[in-house]
Amino acid sequence: MIPRYSTPEMDAVWSDPARFGRWLEVELLATEGHAAIGIVPTEAAEICRAKAPVSDEAFVERIIERERVTDHDVAAFVDTVQAEIDDPAGSWIHYGLTSSDVGDTALCWAMRDACDLLIEASTALLETLVDMARVHRDTVMIGRTHGIHAEPTTFGTKVALWALQVDRDRERLRQAREAVAVMKLSGAVGTYSNIPPSVEAFVGDALGLRPIAATQVVARDRHAQFLYACASVGSTCEMMAVELRHLQRTEVREVQEGFKPGQKGSSAMPHKRNPISAETISGLSRVLRGNLSAGMQDIALWHERDISHSSVERVILPDSSQLAFYVMRRLKRLLDGLVVMPERMRANLDASYGLVFSQPVLLSLVQGGATRDDAYRIVQRNAMRAWDEGLDFRTLLEADDEVDDDVLDDAFDLRRSLANLGQIFAQLDAIVI
């Protein structure tokens, strides 16, 4: 991931020293697991642990240098580790294992840790949304469908629905964590031909990973599920970001992103205050969805394995982890600094001459005995005139001989439109942070 969108927390999960450190721990635990059943001498396993190299940048460089000879990263890693531990103990490193035993177990370990960070970020974002929804529960605004004024709602209701979706994403991340928190040490084609299942269980217990049946590799539908959870996070964040972008348009101006001292919105136009965070989130969500497509294509491998997935995963798994984490963090910052403009929201609601109450008027006429089609015609006729001529909708209705004025007070009562919002907020209150 380019530095612009990387974070220290995810860097710590996906860095080369972290990756080789995981490989090393898998190798050492496998050696100790073999020692526990008498295959590897106990003293040799102890020497391997004691003399194991530290996985730092210098260790990484030694592996890279060796890979120039082997043209195989796991073989280069094993050669480097064995050389540093030295024979005879070092010869027990990688005993009975194949490359995917080490690489896939370590990769699942990394994805599990990435999930933990993503779940933590989703919870923080959820807390912000829940608080904002409660603060603005009664902040009245116009609801829009197709970009056109529809009926009144509140900003808090809008945010509450966002929170419910983020909570669903958090559950998807939890399910993805369960799917990827697995491992395999079952050998070249997954038959345990050269490694006992007890060694796999020993390593799995130590790492907190569940042993699963596999070919030479862990099935890639698990990785695709992880990528889907990341892409879903991105799409949810984009859904909010797109709405916030619309609400920041000059003609609407119901919210604004925060603007810190010294910030510049444009290199050319000093007045500009652009929705840059929301736009960035929208853009990065596209990358997340693209990565999901690549991950789905990684599921179909030849026979018991090939490496067509490997080069793809070196890019998309770290990058999707980083981007999903980044967009949630970026959106939380956006929301924490968001300027909400209730007066502008109310002014926009009133700007359509009262047309937002057309459905209550329609229903009142039906209750009064009109057929629905006749009631629709009466309301639509007055609504179109109000819109075309810039006239007050209620005044026109009061002048219409086919309308009973007595029904209009209730139909135009804003409290009636918002009376049942408690149904939505009850679901919000049921979220367990």
Side-chain angles (χ1 to χ4, degrees):
M1 174 52 57
I2 64 173
R4 188 178 188 89
Y5 305 121
S6 66
T7 60
E9 296 89 341
M10 279 296 179
D11 283 345
V13 172
W14 294 106
S15 70
D16 283 340
R19 176 164 61 100
F20 289 127
R22 287 188 173 92
W23 289 10
L24 181 59
E25 184 62 19
V26 172
E27 293 280 8
L28 293 173
L29 286 171
T31 303
E32 291 164 352
H34 278 109
I37 57 175
I39 293 177
V40 172
T42 301
E43 183 181 3
E46 291 172 348
I47 292 171
C48 286
R49 174 69 68 177
K51 297 181 66 176
V54 174
S55 187
D56 53 16
E57 293 292 347
F59 180 56
V60 172
E61 286 301 317
R62 293 195 295 275
I63 295 170
I64 292 173
E65 181 64 27
R66 180 59 182 166
E67 189 179 354
R68 293 189 179 100
V69 176
T70 64
D71 208 21
H72 189 294
D73 56 353
V74 177
F77 162 80
V78 172
D79 289 351
T80 302
V81 173
Q82 287 181 335
E84 298 203 16
I85 293 174
D86 204 5
D87 290 333
S91 294
W92 292 106
I93 292 294
H94 208 64
Y95 183 82
L97 303 179
T98 190
S99 299
S100 295
D101 289 331
V102 178
D104 271 12
T105 297
L107 183 58
C108 287
W109 179 3
M111 287 191 290
R112 181 198 66 186
D113 289 356
C115 278
D116 288 339
L117 288 174
L118 292 168
I119 292 166
E120 179 184 322
S122 67
T123 298
L125 176 58
L126 189 57
E127 289 174 342
T128 292
L129 289 166
V130 169
D131 290 345
M132 179 175 284
R134 289 170 176 161
V135 167
H136 290 286
R137 174 180 175 136
D138 300 317
T139 301
V140 178
M141 68 181 299
I142 184 61
R144 299 172 174 90
T145 59
H146 306 276
I148 306 299
H149 282 203
E151 291 198 356
T153 184
T154 71
F155 187 61
T157 300
K158 185 187 295 288
V159 177
L161 294 171
W162 293 349
L164 291 169
Q165 186 160 330
V166 170
D167 191 41
R168 293 194 295 275
D169 274 326
R170 184 173 62 164
E171 181 57 30
R172 292 183 187 102
L173 288 167
R174 288 169 173 160
Q175 292 171 1
R177 186 191 190 280
E178 177 69 18
V180 300
V182 298
M183 54 85 66
K184 62 88 62 180
L185 293 183
S186 51
V189 293
T191 57
Y192 300 95
S193 57
N194 296 297
I195 184 168
S198 62
V199 175
E200 181 183 65
F202 179 91
V203 176
D205 286 344
L207 297 179
L209 300 174
R210 176 168 51 90
I212 54 163
T215 61
Q216 187 159 315
V217 297
V218 171
R220 259 45 195 178
D221 64 298
R222 297 177 183 274
H223 304 62
Q225 184 174 349
F226 171 80
L227 289 164
Y228 170 71
C230 291
S232 182
V233 163
S235 293
T236 293
C237 290
E238 184 185 18
M239 177 267 296
M240 291 181 267
V242 166
E243 179 67 10
L244 292 170
R245 288 166 63 191
H246 280 303
L247 297 181
Q248 290 179 78
R249 289 185 295 116
T250 304
E251 296 82 358
V252 180
R253 202 165 177 264
E254 293 178 354
V255 300
Q256 278 188 328
E257 291 187 14
F259 204 75
K260 66 178 183 290
Q263 184 172 341
K264 294 183 179 181
S266 166
S267 64
M269 296 170 284
H271 75 278
K272 293 299 291 290
R273 183 167 171 170
N274 299 327
I276 57 171
S277 289
E279 290 173 336
T280 298
I281 290 165
S282 287
L284 295 178
S285 71
R286 299 167 190 169
V287 181
L288 283 164
R289 289 191 292 273
N291 287 352
L292 171 60
S293 177
M296 295 293 289
Q297 293 178 69
D298 279 346
I299 294 174
L301 303 178
W302 285 19
H303 306 300
E304 277 61 55
R305 82 156 299 190
D306 62 56
I307 63 165
S308 61
H309 62 91
S310 177
S311 56
V312 183
E313 290 171 354
R314 291 172 193 266
V315 177
I316 64 175
L317 292 176
D319 281 10
S320 289
S321 303
Q322 288 274 17
L323 291 177
F325 191 65
Y326 178 87
V327 297
M328 285 192 284
R329 283 257 190 106
R330 184 75 179 263
L331 181 57
K332 184 181 186 305
R333 287 203 310 273
L334 189 167
L335 294 170
D336 286 340
L338 190 69
V339 179
V340 180
M341 302 175 180
E343 298 82 6
R344 181 69 176 175
M345 290 177 173
R346 184 55 190 260
N348 284 339
L349 186 152
D350 294 336
S352 50
Y353 314 112
L355 293 175
V356 297
F357 297 105
S358 70
Q359 182 173 199
V361 174
L362 168 67
L363 298 178
S364 295
L365 294 179
V366 172
Q367 287 176 344
T371 67
R372 183 177 180 87
D373 189 60
D374 285 345
Y376 196 100
R377 174 182 52 79
I378 293 166
V379 175
Q380 186 182 53
R381 179 182 68 222
N382 286 283
M384 293 303 101
R385 187 179 172 199
W387 192 243
D388 291 341
E389 300 179 29
L391 300 175
D392 180 69
F393 181 46
R394 178 166 181 171
T395 300
L396 291 174
L397 290 169
E398 290 172 343
D400 193 316
D401 293 340
E402 295 187 81
V403 177
D404 181 358
D405 293 356
D406 292 341
V407 305
L408 295 180
D409 282 344
D410 182 63
F412 279 82
D413 188 347
L414 190 59
R415 291 171 299 180
R416 175 192 178 282
S417 298
L418 306 175
N420 293 317
L421 292 182
Q423 182 73 15
I424 295 170
F425 280 86
Q427 295 181 49
L428 182 79
D429 294 339
I431 293 175
V432 176
I433 299 293

